[in-house]
Coordinates of all heavy atoms in Angstrom, one line a residue:
M17 N 2.6 13.7 6.6 CA 3.4 12.6 6.2 C 4.1 13.0 4.8 O 5.2 12.4 4.6 CB 2.5 11.3 5.9 CG 3.2 10.2 5.4 SD 2.8 8.8 6.6 CE 3.7 7.5 5.8
E18 N 3.6 13.9 4.1 CA 4.2 14.3 2.9 C 5.5 15.1 3.2 O 5.5 15.8 4.1 CB 3.3 15.2 2.1 CG 2.2 14.4 1.5 CD 1.3 15.4 0.5 OE1 1.8 16.2 -0.1 OE2 0.1 15.2 0.5
G19 N 6.6 14.8 2.5 CA 7.8 15.5 2.7 C 8.6 15.0 3.9 O 9.6 15.4 4.2
S20 N 8.0 14.0 4.6 CA 8.7 13.4 5.7 C 9.7 12.4 5.4 O 10.5 11.9 6.2 CB 7.8 12.8 6.7 OG 7.1 11.7 6.2
G21 N 9.8 11.9 4.1 CA 10.7 10.9 3.6 C 10.1 9.5 3.9 O 10.8 8.5 3.6
A22 N 9.0 9.4 4.5 CA 8.4 8.1 4.7 C 7.9 7.5 3.4 O 7.4 8.2 2.6 CB 7.3 8.2 5.7
G23 N 8.1 6.2 3.2 CA 7.6 5.6 2.0 C 8.4 4.3 1.7 O 9.2 3.8 2.5
F24 N 8.1 3.8 0.5 CA 8.8 2.5 0.2 C 10.1 2.8 -0.6 O 10.0 3.7 -1.5 CB 7.8 1.7 -0.7 CG 6.6 1.2 0.1 CD1 5.5 1.9 0.2 CD2 6.7 -0.1 0.7 CE1 4.4 1.4 0.9 CE2 5.6 -0.5 1.4 CZ 4.5 0.2 1.5
R25 N 11.1 2.2 -0.3 CA 12.4 2.4 -1.0 C 12.3 1.7 -2.4 O 11.8 0.6 -2.6 CB 13.5 1.8 -0.2 CG 13.7 2.5 1.1 CD 15.1 2.1 1.7 NE 15.3 0.7 1.7 CZ 15.3 -0.2 2.7 NH1 15.2 0.3 3.9 NH2 15.6 -1.5 2.6
K26 N 12.9 2.5 -3.3 CA 13.0 1.9 -4.7 C 13.7 0.6 -4.8 O 13.4 -0.2 -5.6 CB 13.6 3.0 -5.7 CG 12.7 4.2 -5.8 CD 13.4 5.2 -6.8 CE 12.6 6.5 -6.8 NZ 13.2 7.5 -7.6
E27 N 14.7 0.4 -4.0 CA 15.5 -0.8 -4.0 C 14.6 -2.0 -3.6 O 14.7 -3.0 -4.2 CB 16.7 -0.7 -3.1 CG 17.7 0.5 -3.4 CD 17.3 1.7 -2.9 OE1 16.6 1.9 -1.9 OE2 17.8 2.8 -3.4
L28 N 13.8 -1.7 -2.6 CA 12.9 -2.9 -2.2 C 11.9 -3.2 -3.3 O 11.7 -4.4 -3.6 CB 12.1 -2.4 -1.0 CG 11.1 -3.3 -0.5 CD1 11.7 -4.7 0.0 CD2 10.3 -2.7 0.7
L29 N 11.3 -2.2 -3.9 CA 10.4 -2.4 -5.0 C 11.0 -3.1 -6.2 O 10.5 -4.0 -6.9 CB 9.7 -1.1 -5.3 CG 8.7 -0.6 -4.3 CD1 8.2 0.8 -4.8 CD2 7.6 -1.6 -4.0
S30 N 12.3 -2.7 -6.5 CA 12.9 -3.3 -7.6 C 13.3 -4.7 -7.4 O 13.5 -5.5 -8.4 CB 14.2 -2.5 -8.0 OG 15.2 -2.7 -6.9
K31 N 13.3 -5.2 -6.2 CA 13.5 -6.6 -5.8 C 12.2 -7.4 -5.7 O 12.2 -8.5 -6.2 CB 14.2 -6.7 -4.5 CG 15.6 -6.1 -4.4 CD 16.6 -6.9 -5.1 CE 18.0 -6.3 -4.8 NZ 18.9 -6.6 -5.8
L32 N 11.2 -6.7 -5.3 CA 9.8 -7.4 -5.1 C 9.0 -7.5 -6.4 O 8.4 -8.6 -6.6 CB 9.0 -6.7 -4.0 CG 9.4 -6.7 -2.6 CD1 8.5 -5.9 -1.7 CD2 9.5 -8.2 -2.2
L33 N 9.1 -6.4 -7.2 CA 8.2 -6.5 -8.4 C 8.6 -7.6 -9.4 O 7.7 -8.4 -9.8 CB 8.2 -5.1 -9.2 CG 7.5 -4.0 -8.5 CD1 7.8 -2.7 -9.2 CD2 6.0 -4.3 -8.3
P34 N 9.8 -7.9 -9.6 CA 10.2 -9.0 -10.6 C 9.7 -10.4 -10.1 O 9.6 -11.3 -10.9 CB 11.7 -8.9 -10.7 CG 12.0 -7.5 -10.3 CD 11.0 -7.1 -9.3
L35 N 9.5 -10.5 -8.9 CA 9.1 -11.8 -8.3 C 7.7 -12.2 -8.9 O 7.3 -13.4 -8.9 CB 9.0 -11.8 -6.8 CG 10.3 -11.6 -6.0 CD1 10.0 -11.5 -4.5 CD2 11.2 -12.7 -6.4
H36 N 6.9 -11.2 -9.4 CA 5.6 -11.5 -9.8 C 5.5 -11.3 -11.4 O 4.4 -11.4 -11.9 CB 4.6 -10.5 -9.2 CG 4.6 -10.6 -7.7 ND1 4.0 -11.7 -7.1 CD2 5.1 -9.9 -6.7 CE1 4.2 -11.6 -5.8 NE2 4.9 -10.5 -5.6
F37 N 6.6 -11.2 -12.1 CA 6.6 -11.1 -13.5 C 6.6 -12.5 -14.1 O 7.3 -13.4 -13.6 CB 7.7 -10.3 -14.0 CG 7.7 -8.8 -13.7 CD1 8.9 -8.1 -13.5 CD2 6.5 -8.2 -13.5 CE1 8.8 -6.8 -13.2 CE2 6.5 -6.8 -13.1 CZ 7.7 -6.1 -13.0
R38 N 5.9 -12.7 -15.2 CA 6.0 -14.0 -15.8 C 7.2 -14.1 -16.7 O 7.9 -15.2 -16.8 CB 4.7 -14.2 -16.7 CG 3.5 -14.3 -15.9 CD 2.3 -14.8 -16.8 NE 1.2 -14.9 -15.9 CZ 0.0 -14.6 -16.3 NH1 -0.3 -14.1 -17.4 NH2 -1.1 -14.8 -15.4
D39 N 7.6 -13.0 -17.3 CA 8.8 -13.0 -18.2 C 10.0 -12.5 -17.3 O 9.9 -11.2 -16.9 CB 8.6 -12.2 -19.4 CG 9.7 -12.3 -20.4 OD1 10.7 -12.9 -20.1 OD2 9.5 -11.6 -21.5
H40 N 11.0 -13.2 -17.1 CA 12.1 -12.8 -16.3 C 12.9 -11.6 -17.0 O 13.7 -11.0 -16.4 CB 13.1 -14.0 -16.1 CG 13.9 -14.4 -17.3 ND1 13.3 -15.3 -18.1 CD2 15.1 -14.2 -17.7 CE1 14.1 -15.5 -19.1 NE2 15.3 -14.9 -18.8
R41 N 12.7 -11.4 -18.3 CA 13.4 -10.2 -18.9 C 12.6 -8.9 -18.7 O 13.2 -7.9 -19.2 CB 13.5 -10.6 -20.4 CG 14.4 -11.8 -20.7 CD 14.3 -12.2 -22.1 NE 12.9 -12.5 -22.5 CZ 12.5 -12.9 -23.6 NH1 13.3 -12.9 -24.6 NH2 11.3 -13.2 -23.8
T42 N 11.5 -8.9 -18.1 CA 10.8 -7.6 -17.9 C 11.5 -6.7 -17.0 O 12.0 -7.1 -15.9 CB 9.4 -8.0 -17.3 OG1 8.7 -8.9 -18.2 CG2 8.6 -6.7 -17.1
R43 N 11.6 -5.5 -17.4 CA 12.4 -4.5 -16.6 C 11.4 -3.4 -16.2 O 10.4 -3.1 -16.8 CB 13.5 -3.9 -17.4 CG 14.5 -4.8 -17.9 CD 15.4 -5.4 -16.8 NE 16.4 -6.3 -17.2 CZ 16.4 -7.6 -16.8 NH1 15.5 -8.0 -16.0 NH2 17.3 -8.3 -17.3
V44 N 11.7 -2.7 -15.1 CA 10.9 -1.6 -14.6 C 11.8 -0.4 -14.6 O 12.8 -0.4 -14.0 CB 10.4 -1.9 -13.1 CG1 9.6 -0.8 -12.6 CG2 9.7 -3.2 -13.1
S45 N 11.2 0.6 -15.2 CA 11.9 1.9 -15.2 C 11.9 2.7 -14.0 O 11.2 2.4 -13.0 CB 11.4 2.9 -16.3 OG 10.1 3.3 -15.9
A46 N 12.9 3.6 -13.8 CA 12.9 4.4 -12.6 C 11.6 5.1 -12.3 O 11.2 5.2 -11.2 CB 14.1 5.3 -12.6
D47 N 11.0 5.6 -13.3 CA 9.8 6.3 -13.2 C 8.6 5.4 -12.7 O 7.8 5.8 -11.9 CB 9.4 7.0 -14.5 CG 10.2 8.2 -14.9 OD1 10.9 8.8 -14.0 OD2 10.2 8.6 -16.1
A48 N 8.6 4.2 -13.3 CA 7.6 3.2 -12.8 C 7.8 2.8 -11.3 O 6.9 2.7 -10.6 CB 7.6 2.0 -13.7
L49 N 9.0 2.7 -10.9 CA 9.3 2.5 -9.6 C 8.9 3.6 -8.6 O 8.3 3.3 -7.6 CB 10.8 2.1 -9.4 CG 11.3 0.9 -9.8 CD1 12.8 0.8 -9.6 CD2 10.7 -0.3 -8.9
Q50 N 9.2 4.8 -9.1 CA 8.7 6.0 -8.3 C 7.2 6.0 -8.2 O 6.7 6.3 -7.1 CB 9.3 7.2 -8.9 CG 8.9 8.5 -8.1 CD 9.6 9.7 -8.7 OE1 10.3 9.6 -9.7 NE2 9.4 10.8 -8.1
L51 N 6.5 5.8 -9.3 CA 5.0 5.8 -9.3 C 4.5 4.7 -8.5 O 3.6 4.9 -7.7 CB 4.6 5.7 -10.7 CG 3.0 5.7 -10.9 CD1 2.5 7.0 -10.5 CD2 2.7 5.5 -12.4
T52 N 5.1 3.5 -8.5 CA 4.6 2.5 -7.7 C 4.8 2.7 -6.2 O 4.0 2.4 -5.3 CB 5.4 1.1 -8.1 OG1 5.2 0.9 -9.4 CG2 4.9 -0.1 -7.2
A53 N 5.9 3.2 -5.9 CA 6.2 3.6 -4.4 C 5.2 4.6 -4.0 O 4.7 4.5 -2.8 CB 7.7 4.1 -4.3
E54 N 4.8 5.6 -4.8 CA 3.9 6.6 -4.4 C 2.5 6.0 -4.2 O 1.8 6.3 -3.3 CB 3.8 7.8 -5.4 CG 2.9 8.8 -5.0 CD 3.2 9.6 -3.8 OE1 4.3 9.5 -3.2 OE2 2.3 10.3 -3.2
L55 N 2.1 5.1 -5.1 CA 0.8 4.4 -5.0 C 0.7 3.6 -3.8 O -0.3 3.6 -3.1 CB 0.6 3.6 -6.3 CG -0.7 2.8 -6.3 CD1 -1.9 3.7 -6.4 CD2 -0.7 1.9 -7.5
L56 N 1.8 2.9 -3.5 CA 1.8 2.1 -2.2 C 1.8 2.9 -1.0 O 1.1 2.6 0.0 CB 3.1 1.2 -2.2 CG 2.9 0.0 -3.1 CD1 4.3 -0.8 -3.1 CD2 1.9 -1.0 -2.7
R57 N 2.4 4.1 -1.0 CA 2.4 5.0 0.1 C 1.0 5.5 0.3 O 0.4 5.5 1.5 CB 3.3 6.2 0.0 CG 3.5 7.0 1.2 CD 4.2 8.3 0.9 NE 3.5 9.2 -0.1 CZ 2.4 10.0 0.4 NH1 2.0 10.0 1.6 NH2 1.7 10.8 -0.5
I58 N 0.3 5.9 -0.7 CA -1.1 6.4 -0.6 C -2.0 5.3 -0.1 O -2.9 5.5 0.7 CB -1.5 7.0 -2.0 CG1 -0.7 8.3 -2.3 CG2 -3.1 7.2 -2.0 CD1 -0.9 8.8 -3.7
F59 N -1.8 4.1 -0.6 CA -2.7 3.0 -0.2 C -2.5 2.7 1.3 O -3.5 2.5 2.1 CB -2.2 1.7 -1.0 CG -3.1 0.6 -0.7 CD1 -4.3 0.4 -1.3 CD2 -2.7 -0.3 0.3 CE1 -5.1 -0.7 -1.1 CE2 -3.5 -1.5 0.5 CZ -4.7 -1.7 -0.1
V60 N -1.3 2.8 1.9 CA -1.0 2.5 3.2 C -1.6 3.6 4.1 O -2.2 3.3 5.2 CB 0.4 2.3 3.5 CG1 0.7 2.2 5.0 CG2 0.9 1.0 2.8
V61 N -1.5 4.8 3.7 CA -2.0 6.0 4.4 C -3.4 5.9 4.5 O -4.1 6.1 5.5 CB -1.4 7.3 3.8 CG1 -2.2 8.5 4.4 CG2 0.0 7.4 4.1
E62 N -4.1 5.6 3.3 CA -5.5 5.5 3.3 C -6.1 4.4 4.1 O -7.1 4.6 4.8 CB -6.0 5.4 1.8 CG -7.5 5.3 1.6 CD -8.1 6.6 2.0 OE1 -7.5 7.7 2.0 OE2 -9.4 6.6 2.3
A63 N -5.3 3.2 4.2 CA -5.8 2.2 5.0 C -5.7 2.6 6.5 O -6.6 2.3 7.2 CB -4.8 0.9 4.7
A64 N -4.6 3.3 6.8 CA -4.4 3.8 8.3 C -5.6 4.7 8.6 O -6.2 4.6 9.7 CB -3.2 4.4 8.5
V65 N -5.9 5.7 7.8 CA -7.0 6.6 8.0 C -8.3 6.0 8.1 O -9.1 6.2 9.1 CB -7.0 7.7 6.8 CG1 -8.3 8.6 6.9 CG2 -5.8 8.6 6.9
R66 N -8.7 5.0 7.2 CA -9.9 4.3 7.3 C -9.9 3.5 8.6 O -11.0 3.3 9.2 CB -10.2 3.5 6.0 CG -10.4 4.3 4.8 CD -10.7 3.5 3.6 NE -10.8 4.3 2.4 CZ -11.3 3.9 1.3 NH1 -11.8 2.7 1.2 NH2 -11.3 4.6 0.2
G67 N -8.8 2.8 8.9 CA -8.8 2.1 10.2 C -9.0 2.9 11.4 O -9.8 2.5 12.3
V68 N -8.5 4.1 11.4 CA -8.8 5.0 12.5 C -10.3 5.4 12.6 O -10.9 5.5 13.6 CB -7.9 6.4 12.4 CG1 -8.4 7.4 13.4 CG2 -6.4 6.0 12.7
R69 N -10.9 5.7 11.4 CA -12.3 6.1 11.4 C -13.2 4.9 11.9 O -14.1 5.2 12.6 CB -12.7 6.5 10.0 CG -12.2 7.8 9.6 CD -12.7 8.2 8.2 NE -12.0 9.5 7.8 CZ -11.8 9.7 6.5 NH1 -12.2 8.9 5.5 NH2 -11.2 10.9 6.2
Q70 N -12.8 3.7 11.5 CA -13.6 2.6 12.0 C -13.4 2.3 13.4 O -14.4 2.1 14.1 CB -13.1 1.3 11.2 CG -13.8 0.0 11.6 CD -15.3 0.1 11.1 OE1 -15.6 0.6 10.1 NE2 -16.1 -0.6 11.8
A71 N -12.2 2.5 14.0 CA -12.0 2.5 15.4 C -12.8 3.5 16.2 O -13.5 3.2 17.2 CB -10.5 2.6 15.7
Q72 N -12.9 4.7 15.6 CA -13.6 5.8 16.2 C -15.1 5.4 16.2 O -15.8 5.7 17.2 CB -13.4 7.1 15.5 CG -12.0 7.7 15.8 CD -11.7 9.0 15.0 OE1 -12.4 9.2 14.0 NE2 -10.7 9.7 15.4
A73 N -15.6 4.9 15.1 CA -17.0 4.5 15.0 C -17.4 3.4 16.0 O -18.5 3.3 16.5 CB -17.3 4.0 13.6
E74 N -16.5 2.6 16.4 CA -16.6 1.5 17.3 C -16.3 1.9 18.8 O -16.4 1.1 19.7 CB -15.8 0.2 17.0 CG -16.1 -0.3 15.6 CD -15.2 -1.5 15.2 OE1 -14.3 -1.8 16.0 OE2 -15.4 -2.0 14.1
D75 N -15.9 3.2 19.0 CA -15.5 3.7 20.2 C -14.4 2.9 20.9 O -14.3 2.6 22.0 CB -16.6 3.8 21.2 CG -17.7 4.8 20.8 OD1 -17.2 5.8 20.3 OD2 -18.9 4.6 21.1
V76 N -13.3 2.6 19.9 CA -12.1 1.9 20.4 C -11.0 2.9 20.4 O -10.9 3.7 19.5 CB -11.9 0.7 19.5 CG1 -10.6 -0.1 20.0 CG2 -13.1 -0.3 19.5
A77 N -10.1 2.8 21.4 CA -9.1 3.7 21.5 C -7.9 3.4 20.7 O -7.0 4.3 20.4 CB -8.6 3.8 23.0
Q78 N -7.8 2.1 20.2 CA -6.6 1.8 19.4 C -7.0 1.0 18.2 O -8.0 0.2 18.3 CB -5.7 0.9 20.3 CG -4.4 0.5 19.7 CD -3.5 -0.2 20.6 OE1 -3.8 -0.3 21.8 NE2 -2.4 -0.7 20.2
V79 N -6.4 1.3 17.1 CA -6.7 0.6 15.9 C -6.0 -0.8 15.9 O -4.9 -0.9 16.3 CB -6.2 1.3 14.6 CG1 -6.4 0.5 13.4 CG2 -6.8 2.7 14.5
D80 N -6.8 -1.8 15.6 CA -6.4 -3.2 15.7 C -6.6 -3.8 14.3 O -7.1 -3.3 13.4 CB -7.1 -4.0 16.8 CG -6.4 -5.2 17.2 OD1 -5.2 -5.5 16.7 OD2 -6.9 -5.9 18.1
V81 N -6.1 -5.0 14.2 CA -6.3 -5.8 13.0 C -7.8 -5.9 12.6 O -8.1 -5.8 11.5 CB -5.6 -7.2 13.0 CG1 -6.0 -8.0 11.8 CG2 -4.1 -7.0 13.3
E82 N -8.6 -6.0 13.6 CA -10.0 -6.1 13.3 C -10.6 -4.9 12.6 O -11.4 -5.1 11.6 CB -10.8 -6.3 14.6 CG -10.5 -7.6 15.3 CD -11.1 -7.6 16.7 OE1 -12.0 -6.8 17.0 OE2 -10.8 -8.5 17.5
Q83 N -10.2 -3.8 12.9 CA -10.7 -2.6 12.2 C -10.2 -2.5 10.7 O -10.8 -2.2 9.8 CB -10.2 -1.3 12.9 CG -11.0 -1.0 14.2 CD -10.6 -1.8 15.3 OE1 -9.4 -2.1 15.4 NE2 -11.6 -2.1 16.2
L84 N -8.9 -3.0 10.6 CA -8.3 -2.9 9.2 C -9.0 -4.0 8.3 O -9.3 -3.8 7.2 CB -6.8 -3.2 9.3 CG -6.0 -2.0 9.9 CD1 -4.6 -2.4 10.0 CD2 -6.2 -0.8 9.0
E85 N -9.4 -5.1 8.9 CA -10.1 -6.2 8.2 C -11.4 -5.7 7.8 O -11.9 -6.1 6.7 CB -10.2 -7.4 9.1 CG -8.8 -8.2 9.2 CD -9.0 -9.4 10.2 OE1 -10.0 -9.4 10.9 OE2 -8.1 -10.2 10.2
K86 N -12.1 -4.9 8.5 CA -13.4 -4.4 8.2 C -13.4 -3.3 7.0 O -14.2 -3.3 6.2 CB -14.0 -3.8 9.4 CG -14.4 -4.7 10.4 CD -15.1 -4.2 11.7 CE -15.4 -5.2 12.7 NZ -15.9 -4.7 14.0
V87 N -12.3 -2.6 7.0 CA -12.2 -1.5 5.9 C -11.5 -2.0 4.6 O -11.6 -1.4 3.6 CB -11.5 -0.2 6.4 CG1 -12.3 0.3 7.6 CG2 -10.1 -0.5 6.7
L88 N -10.8 -3.2 4.7 CA -9.9 -3.6 3.6 C -10.8 -4.0 2.4 O -10.4 -3.6 1.3 CB -9.2 -4.9 4.0 CG -8.2 -5.4 3.0 CD1 -7.2 -4.3 2.7 CD2 -7.5 -6.6 3.6
P89 N -12.0 -4.6 2.4 CA -12.7 -4.9 1.2 C -13.1 -3.7 0.4 O -12.8 -3.6 -0.8 CB -14.0 -5.6 1.7 CG -13.6 -6.2 3.0 CD -12.6 -5.2 3.6
Q90 N -13.6 -2.7 1.0 CA -14.0 -1.5 0.4 C -12.7 -0.7 -0.1 O -12.7 -0.2 -1.3 CB -14.7 -0.5 1.2 CG -15.3 0.7 0.5 CD -16.2 0.4 -0.6 OE1 -17.1 -0.4 -0.6 NE2 -16.0 1.0 -1.8
L91 N -11.6 -0.7 0.6 CA -10.4 -0.1 0.2 C -9.8 -0.7 -1.1 O -9.4 -0.1 -2.0 CB -9.3 -0.2 1.3 CG -7.9 0.4 1.1 CD1 -8.0 1.9 0.8 CD2 -7.0 0.0 2.2
L92 N -9.9 -2.0 -1.1 CA -9.3 -2.8 -2.3 C -10.2 -2.4 -3.5 O -9.7 -2.3 -4.6 CB -9.3 -4.2 -2.0 CG -8.2 -4.7 -1.1 CD1 -8.4 -6.2 -0.8 CD2 -6.8 -4.4 -1.6
L93 N -11.5 -2.3 -3.3 CA -12.4 -1.9 -4.4 C -12.2 -0.5 -4.9 O -12.3 -0.2 -6.1 CB -13.9 -2.1 -4.0 CG -14.5 -3.5 -3.9 CD1 -15.8 -3.5 -3.3 CD2 -14.4 -4.2 -5.2
D94 N -11.8 0.4 -4.0 CA -11.5 1.8 -4.3 C -10.2 1.9 -5.2 O -10.1 2.8 -5.9 CB -11.5 2.6 -3.1 CG -12.8 2.8 -2.4 OD1 -13.9 2.5 -3.2 OD2 -12.9 3.2 -1.3
F95 N -9.3 1.0 -4.9 CA -8.0 1.1 -5.6 C -8.0 0.1 -6.7 O -7.3 0.1 -7.7 CB -6.9 0.7 -4.7 CG -6.3 1.9 -3.9 CD1 -7.0 2.4 -2.7 CD2 -5.2 2.6 -4.3 CE1 -6.5 3.5 -2.1 CE2 -4.7 3.7 -3.6 CZ -5.4 4.2 -2.5

């Protein structure tokens, strides 16, 4: 996945992040956007990997929402 260009676009993050700021004058630098995009990419990849491991442990051929729901609590604690 690294180097494949997959990830979150900075334009999307620059629109989404301000929705959660209390002060409308808060700005996000380009470096902060890049770091946030990388963190989200790693989070999604880790969720997918853990979902696959959970599906394998359950002898299921396909990852479903159920497997992701099972790994989500620990994933959120790890991040």
Side-chain angles (χ1 to χ4, degrees):
M17 184 126 178
E18 289 184 37
S20 67
F24 292 88
R25 294 190 319 247
K26 291 180 190 175
E27 298 84 21
L28 174 64
L29 292 176
S30 67
K31 300 283 188 206
L32 290 177
L33 287 176
L35 296 175
H36 301 285
F37 294 152
R38 290 189 180 143
D39 186 357
H40 69 279
R41 296 173 296 178
T42 303
R43 301 287 180 243
V44 181
S45 70
D47 289 341
L49 281 175
Q50 184 176 358
L51 182 62
T52 303
E54 181 63 14
L55 179 65
L56 284 172
R57 187 191 69 77
I58 292 169
F59 183 84
V60 170
V61 169
E62 184 66 22
V65 169
R66 291 185 188 196
V68 168
R69 288 183 185 153
Q70 182 66 32
Q72 289 172 342
E74 296 175 3
D75 290 327
V76 178
Q78 184 176 356
V79 177
D80 199 1
V81 174
E82 294 175 12
Q83 286 79 32
L84 292 174
E85 287 175 346
K86 289 177 182 176
V87 300
L88 187 60
Q90 186 63 45
L91 179 65
L92 290 174
L93 286 172
D94 290 345
F95 273 81

